[in-house]
């Protein structure tokens, strides 16, 4: 028989082994505890939207909570980014960050409502793809060199379109103009569709366009790609040189998209997201969907992706200042 003293000692030891809680405090519930808002700061059917919905569908069963994808376009992606920035500490809202909202917009616009680094927890690079310089499928221009020779022979006559002032595609054209000291006249459009229509209609000489958007036009031969902006050739365009291979080594740029949450979220949630995103990007399902669009899955985690953003900001500030580029 145990004595009363032994029972009291045993009870005291058991109580000491339990996690202590302050008065009125309850144990933290496992995350996530409610639906997750996934902000896409661009319109439906674009690269950011496609990547977001593919990943949201993948995570739908893994996290145990529904993921609600919301398109919040505007101001070069900054409208949606501001929603996330203002949700500091909220572990149930995320976004697809990008070169537009976190690398270009913050140095292009005079008034930016958020800090692209301090107001976010940047978790993982999701995907990259190049800008493609293209001409009409019937154009006699067969190379970047021929386009630049034409621009030098007739200053101001050679035009190239993009989806708007200050977009990545516009800035790649600016890199080409600056590095070759040639006059390429930029024609900004309200999105990719009207720019591509004018190229096909002969209203502009060339077009700078994102690979996923233009892929179908290359397949149908309605548009002819001349060069891609990344260091490596695009798997979907293996016969098209990079600008570096074409003799223009300073024209290197990547359209990048990543996964970000507000600043101040619990570290364990950030680690969970980093693990989940990395696994998703290695899955056969996501790889197949990205491959069809010419998107390379990202490999940079928290530290690498945050460092990428920090490096891109001063780079694009320099190009914007040199070209006296202003937002629409």
């Amino acid at each position: 028989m145990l004595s009363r003293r032994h029972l009291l000692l045993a009870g005291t030891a058991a109580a000491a082994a339990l996690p202590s809680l302050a008065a009125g405090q309850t144990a933290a519930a496992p995350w996530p505890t409610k639906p997750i808002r996934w902000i896409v700061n661009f319109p439906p059917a674009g690269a950011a939207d496609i990547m977001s919905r593919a990943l949201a569908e993948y995570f739908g069963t893994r996290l145990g909570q529904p993921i609600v994808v919301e398109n919040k376009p505007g101001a070069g992606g900054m409208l949606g980014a501001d929603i996330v920035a203002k949700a500091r500490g909220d572990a149930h809202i995320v976004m697809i960050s990008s070169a537009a909202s976190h690398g270009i917009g913050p140095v292009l616009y005079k008034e930016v409502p958020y800090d692209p680094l301090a107001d976010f927890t940047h978790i993982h690079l999701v995907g990259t793809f190049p800008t493609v310089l293209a001409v009409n499928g019937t154009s006699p221009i067969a190379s970047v060199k021929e386009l630049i020779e034409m621009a030098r022979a007739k200053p101001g006559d050679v035009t190239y379109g993009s989806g708007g002032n200050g977009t990545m595609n516009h800035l790649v054209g600016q890199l080409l103009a600056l590095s070759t000291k040639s006059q390429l006249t930029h024609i900004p459009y309200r999105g990719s569709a009207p720019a591509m229509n004018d190229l096909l209609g002969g209203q502009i000489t060339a077009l700078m366009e994102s690979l996923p958007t233009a892929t179908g036009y290359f397949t149908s031969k309605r548009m002819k790609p001349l060069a891609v902006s990344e260091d490596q050739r695009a798997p979907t365009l293996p016969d098209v040189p990079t600008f570096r291979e074409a003799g223009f080594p300073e024209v290197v740029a990547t359209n990048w998209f990543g996964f970000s949450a507000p600043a101040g979220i619990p570290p364990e949630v950030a680690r969970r997201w980093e693990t989940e995103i990395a696994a998703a990007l290695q899955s056969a399902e996501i790889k197949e969907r990205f491959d069809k669009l010419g998107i390379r899955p990202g490999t940079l985690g928290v530290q690498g992706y945050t460092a990428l953003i920090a490096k891109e900001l001063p780079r694009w500030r320099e190009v914007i200042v040199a070209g006296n580029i202003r937002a629409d």
Side-chain angles (χ1 to χ4, degrees):
M1 297 269 314
L2 291 171
S3 68
R4 183 180 178 184
R5 180 171 177 273
H6 286 140
L7 289 172
L8 287 171
L9 288 173
T12 301
L18 294 173
S20 61
L21 294 174
Q25 183 180 0
T26 58
W31 174 90
T33 60
K34 61 182 181 180
I36 294 169
R37 293 179 68 197
W38 189 306
I39 303 296
V40 180
N41 51 347
F42 291 97
D49 185 68
I50 292 169
M51 285 188 280
S52 294
R53 293 182 187 278
L55 289 169
E57 184 179 324
Y58 175 89
F59 289 127
T61 56
R62 293 177 65 91
L63 298 181
Q65 287 285 349
I67 295 178
V68 182
V69 178
E70 301 178 24
N71 292 89
K72 299 290 185 180
M78 294 200 302
L79 179 63
D82 189 40
I83 293 172
V84 177
K86 285 182 168 55
R88 185 178 184 88
D90 188 343
H92 292 84
I93 183 170
V94 296
M95 73 172 294
I96 287 290
S97 47
S98 66
S101 60
H102 287 76
I104 296 172
V107 295
L108 174 65
Y109 290 85
K110 290 183 178 180
E111 296 183 5
V112 181
Y114 56 82
D115 185 307
L117 291 169
D119 288 337
F120 297 87
T121 301
H122 296 299
I123 291 170
H124 209 287
L125 180 66
V126 169
T128 64
F129 52 82
T131 289
V132 185
L133 172 61
V135 293
N136 190 303
T138 61
S139 171
I141 301 171
S143 67
V144 185
K145 183 179 178 181
E146 289 182 12
L147 182 75
I148 296 302
E149 287 174 350
M150 182 184 295
R152 287 171 173 165
K154 300 179 179 179
D157 284 0
V158 172
T159 57
Y160 76 95
S162 80
N165 278 326
T167 60
M168 175 66 79
N169 296 328
H170 174 200
L171 296 186
V172 172
Q174 182 66 23
L175 280 176
L176 180 61
L178 289 171
S179 65
T180 58
K181 295 180 173 58
S182 57
Q183 188 174 341
L184 299 173
T185 301
H186 176 237
I187 309 297
Y189 290 84
R190 295 288 183 179
S192 296
M196 290 191 288
N197 286 338
D198 271 10
L199 179 70
L200 298 176
Q203 280 77 35
I204 53 177
T205 313
L207 174 72
M208 287 288 187
E209 187 53 71
S210 302
L211 177 58
T213 306
T215 294
Y217 292 87
F218 299 144
T219 303
S220 66
K221 308 295 184 184
R222 297 175 70 195
M223 283 167 39
K224 179 168 50 178
L226 302 182
V228 297
S229 67
E230 289 186 324
D231 262 336
Q232 298 178 334
R233 293 193 180 195
T236 53
L237 297 174
D239 298 326
V240 178
T242 65
F243 279 100
R244 186 185 299 277
E245 291 173 329
F248 306 91
E250 295 181 22
V251 186
V252 180
T254 294
N255 291 274
W256 47 265
F257 290 82
F259 185 84
S260 302
I265 65 170
E268 61 271 19
V269 173
R271 287 193 294 268
R272 172 77 182 279
W273 269 127
E274 185 178 25
T275 300
E276 293 286 355
I277 293 289
L281 295 175
Q282 291 300 312
S283 70
E285 174 188 347
I286 297 299
K287 280 185 173 181
E288 181 180 359
R289 296 180 75 167
F290 280 20
D291 284 348
K292 289 179 180 178
L293 296 169
I295 299 172
R296 286 191 175 92
T299 58
L300 301 177
V302 170
Q303 292 184 347
Y305 182 43
T306 303
L308 169 68
I309 296 173
K311 184 178 179 181
E312 287 279 274
L313 287 162
R315 183 201 183 189
W316 293 122
R317 179 183 287 109
E318 183 178 342
V319 173
I320 288 166
V321 170
N324 193 28
I325 296 171
R326 302 184 187 281
D328 288 330

